[in-house]
Amino acid sequence: MSRGAEALDLPVWNTASALSWGSRRSNAMAHLDSDVKEESLREDLKFYFMNPCEKYRARHQIPWKLGLQILKILMVTTQLIRFGLSNQLVVAFKEENTVAFKYLFLKGYSGTDEDNYSCSVYNQEDAYESIFYAVNQYHRLKNISLGTVGYGENEENKIGLKVCKQHYKKGAMFPLKETLNIYSDIETDCIYLDLRALSRNSEDWKNSSFFTLEFYRLLQVKISFRLKGIDLQTILSRELPDCYVFQNTITFDNKAHSGKIKIYFDSDANIEECKGLNISGSVQKNTQYVLAFDAFVIVICLASLILCTRSIVLALRLRKRFLKFFLEKYQRHVCNADQWEFINGWYVLVIISDLMTIIGSILKMEIQVKFVALNTVSECLFSLVNGDDMFATFAQIQQKSILVWLFSRLYLYSFISLFIYMILSLFIALITDSYDTIKKYQQNGFPMTDLQEFLKECSSQEECQKESSALLSCMCCLRRKESDNNLILTN
């Protein structure tokens, strides 16, 4: 009976032991799974916060984003240099023609503008002579001009100039009684002087009642005309020349009524395709390569934009894993500062830069740059960093095009803010930090190199043995297979 009872009790004891062992095994497996997840998360976090060189050494992952950023910098720099150099001749031709027009049509022009206007007159005789001088110079243009300019048609396909005067509607002045009556409504009268009429008799138009000016109620006189020109200096580069249309305006401003009439000269130049050119030995402009290069820049920026956006998305997913793990294990939320560590600010700046580069590449042919050559750009930007030429640069940028004005303001403000308030402060911080580091090393000694750390012995033999035994046990646990677990359970 005892043997039977023992025989009957043996399976019960084995079943209970097996159930207890299975429960411990499941708990151990759950704990091991938690440790594996924690270790995997820790490895992913370490890998995320590594720099590209450390990532390559850790997992031999090629830093595609870094290489793409270097390629993008080279290509965008090349694009800007090519765009600046290609527009160098255009800007020089426009500016030199504007100066030549001032000498041609403004009587007594000294070569330098007075503040924001070209010149001024102080009596009625000089005012009349300046107006008549501009008209006569327009009539004699072909005989006096040194440039490749000629007459251009206006909106009505007529050749000539338009003179408009703006004055108060009514008025009466009695200096003896010190009285002045002005009706504040403004009237504008215009006269069109055809080139044929000027050629027939150059004195008849001067005797017109239109040129009898009442200066006490005169606001301004505006003379406008169009000229056409051809830029022949491109032939030296074996390219077809460009044709230009200059919309010139001479304004005699008397709005202040201070006894001084300011004379403004304004010239807007537009490029048009030349017709009927026959120049032997020239090479026609081939814009296909430039367009292909710009398209490649856009593709590179799009690739950079996609990769940086992907990195931010992966970082947000990793942050979500970390927040969930931290909440499950420690039952509390992660602080905001640690959460923002997952957002790489450089990626955000690269994305913004890519968007701006793509937009600029698309619109770069529509934007005409405030610079003549690459050295002028460098000198101007260096002066802006030092604050030497800031006001003059802002004042010289014309407001003819809203797009150019907004782009130039945005570029200058961002450049000045970036370099004066950030880059220079960063240089000062680096110098200060280097000084503190060197001072600390001189007091406490320089840090040990890897070779010195390797040759350094452990402080105690027990710590070395503990570390080695713990390392061996960890390696044994990792190497254990699933079949070993089944063998232990069976035994």
Side-chain angles (χ1 to χ4, degrees):
M1 293 297 294
S2 60
R3 293 183 180 179
E6 291 177 359
L8 290 176
D9 292 339
L10 182 60
V12 176
W13 183 83
N14 290 336
T15 302
S17 300
L19 291 175
S20 177
W21 174 256
S23 177
R24 291 196 301 269
R25 178 179 179 275
S26 60
N27 293 333
M29 292 298 294
H31 183 71
L32 180 62
D33 185 59
S34 177
D35 293 340
V36 171
K37 289 183 178 180
E38 181 178 356
E39 187 65 24
S40 176
L41 179 60
R42 184 176 290 106
E43 291 292 333
D44 292 339
L45 290 174
K46 290 181 180 179
F47 184 78
Y48 173 75
F49 289 106
M50 288 180 181
N51 57 47
C53 296
E54 293 174 346
K55 290 181 179 179
Y56 179 77
R57 287 194 295 264
R59 299 183 182 179
H60 296 285
Q61 179 176 334
I62 300 177
W64 295 107
K65 290 192 293 294
L66 178 61
L68 197 62
Q69 298 305 317
I70 297 175
L71 178 61
K72 186 182 68 175
I73 292 174
L74 294 176
M75 294 193 65
V76 172
T77 304
T78 305
Q79 184 187 34
L80 292 176
I81 293 176
R82 287 179 58 86
F83 179 66
L85 295 179
S86 64
N87 286 275
Q88 177 181 354
L89 299 179
V90 176
V91 176
F93 184 76
K94 291 180 180 180
E95 291 184 350
E96 291 176 2
N97 273 274
T98 301
V99 175
F101 292 154
K102 290 181 179 180
Y103 275 104
L104 285 176
F105 300 106
L106 300 183
K107 184 178 181 180
Y109 181 67
S110 61
T112 56
D113 293 346
E114 302 176 12
D115 294 335
N116 59 341
Y117 55 92
S118 300
C119 55
S120 58
V121 292
Y122 296 90
N123 54 66
Q124 297 184 11
E125 182 180 359
D126 291 340
Y128 281 114
E129 289 183 356
S130 298
I131 295 173
F132 298 154
Y133 180 82
V135 178
N136 288 327
Q137 290 293 95
Y138 176 81
H139 178 230
R140 301 172 55 237
L141 181 64
K142 290 185 177 180
N143 298 327
I144 61 176
S145 177
L146 297 175
T148 56
V149 293
Y151 299 112
E153 302 86 359
N154 59 3
E155 294 82 359
E156 301 177 355
N157 295 325
K158 295 181 180 179
I159 298 177
L161 46 81
K162 184 179 181 181
V163 184
C164 294
K165 63 179 181 180
Q166 191 179 78
H167 51 78
Y168 293 115
K169 187 174 182 180
K170 294 179 181 179
M173 183 177 64
F174 304 99
L176 183 61
K177 298 181 180 181
E178 298 180 352
T179 58
L180 177 64
N181 298 324
I182 289 294
Y183 187 33
S184 59
D185 287 350
I186 298 175
E187 289 184 340
T188 302
D189 299 330
C190 296
I191 186 176
Y192 183 78
L193 299 177
D194 194 357
L195 186 62
R196 296 181 180 179
L198 294 175
S199 300
R200 285 194 299 267
N201 191 347
S202 60
E203 298 296 329
D204 291 343
W205 59 271
K206 294 182 180 180
N207 299 326
S208 174
S209 60
F210 177 85
F211 291 99
T212 302
L213 305 176
E214 297 178 350
F215 290 94
Y216 72 93
R217 67 187 184 102
L218 178 68
L219 294 176
Q220 68 177 14
V221 176
K222 184 177 292 186
I223 303 175
S224 57
F225 54 93
R226 285 188 178 184
L227 298 177
K228 289 186 176 181
I230 303 177
D231 186 8
L232 297 179
Q233 58 183 338
T234 56
I235 298 179
L236 299 177
S237 302
R238 300 187 64 81
E239 294 183 356
L240 291 179
D242 295 322
C243 291
Y244 295 82
V245 177
F246 299 95
Q247 179 64 45
N248 300 322
T249 304
I250 305 174
T251 304
F252 298 82
D253 188 3
N254 191 38
K255 295 179 180 179
H257 289 89
S258 60
K260 175 181 179 180
I261 296 181
K262 301 177 182 179
I263 304 177
Y264 296 87
F265 186 90
D266 186 31
S267 180
D268 290 330
N270 296 320
I271 302 178
E272 293 185 354
E273 184 179 357
C274 295
K275 300 179 181 179
L277 291 178
N278 186 12
I279 304 175
S280 59
S282 65
V283 180
Q284 188 175 1
K285 287 185 176 180
N286 191 356
T287 58
Q288 296 179 356
Y289 297 105
V290 179
L291 294 176
F293 184 80
D294 294 338
F296 190 57
V297 171
I298 294 176
V299 171
I300 293 297
C301 292
L302 284 175
S304 174
L305 178 65
I306 294 173
L307 290 178
C308 292
T309 305
R310 173 180 171 272
S311 298
I312 291 179
V313 172
L314 294 178
L316 294 177
R317 292 180 180 177
L318 184 61
R319 185 182 70 170
K320 185 177 180 181
R321 287 176 54 195
F322 176 70
L323 295 179
K324 182 179 178 180
F325 169 80
F326 200 85
L327 183 62
E328 291 177 354
K329 185 172 183 179
Y330 300 102
Q331 287 77 39
R332 61 189 180 90
H333 296 280
V334 182
C335 63
N336 293 328
D338 289 340
Q339 294 186 27
W340 281 105
E341 289 292 332
F342 290 87
I343 305 299
N344 195 331
W346 288 110
Y347 289 161
V348 178
L349 292 178
V350 169
I351 291 175
I352 297 175
S353 175
D354 292 334
L355 291 175
M356 298 293 291
T357 304
I358 293 173
I359 297 174
S361 299
I362 296 174
L363 299 178
K364 79 180 187 70
M365 299 308 297
E366 300 293 334
I367 299 176
Q368 298 297 326
V369 183
K370 53 239 174 252
F371 297 126
V372 178
L374 185 62
N375 58 340
T376 308
V377 177
S378 304
E379 294 171 359
C380 181
L381 294 180
F382 185 76
S383 300
L384 287 176
V385 172
N386 293 326
D388 300 333
D389 203 23
M390 197 174 299
F391 177 78
T393 303
F394 279 101
Q396 290 179 0
I397 297 176
Q398 300 178 359
Q399 302 183 10
K400 300 176 185 177
S401 175
I402 298 178
L403 181 62
V404 175
W405 187 85
L406 290 176
F407 178 80
S408 60
R409 274 342 189 237
L410 185 63
Y411 179 83
L412 289 176
Y413 279 125
S414 60
F415 177 82
I416 294 171
S417 302
L418 178 65
F419 276 86
I420 292 182
Y421 303 118
M422 294 182 63
I423 302 299
L424 295 182
S425 301
L426 179 61
F427 288 160
I428 296 174
L430 290 176
I431 295 174
T432 306
D433 184 69
S434 300
Y435 172 77
D436 293 338
T437 303
I438 295 175
K439 184 178 180 180
K440 180 180 178 181
Y441 287 166
Q442 288 180 347
Q443 294 176 354
N444 302 327
F446 286 87
M448 301 182 66
T449 63
D450 295 337
L451 180 61
Q452 293 173 346
E453 290 286 347
F454 179 77
L455 296 177
K456 183 181 178 181
E457 296 181 356
C458 295
S459 59
S460 63
Q461 189 67 21
E462 295 180 356
E463 292 181 359
C464 295
Q465 292 178 356
K466 290 181 180 179
E467 292 177 358
S468 60
S469 61
L471 180 61
L472 290 175
S473 61
C474 181
M475 293 177 62
C476 293
C477 292
L478 291 177
R479 292 180 179 179
R480 190 175 63 184
K481 299 180 181 180
E482 187 70 18
S483 58
D484 297 334
N485 295 333
N486 297 331
L487 181 60
I488 295 175
L489 180 60
T490 304
N491 293 333

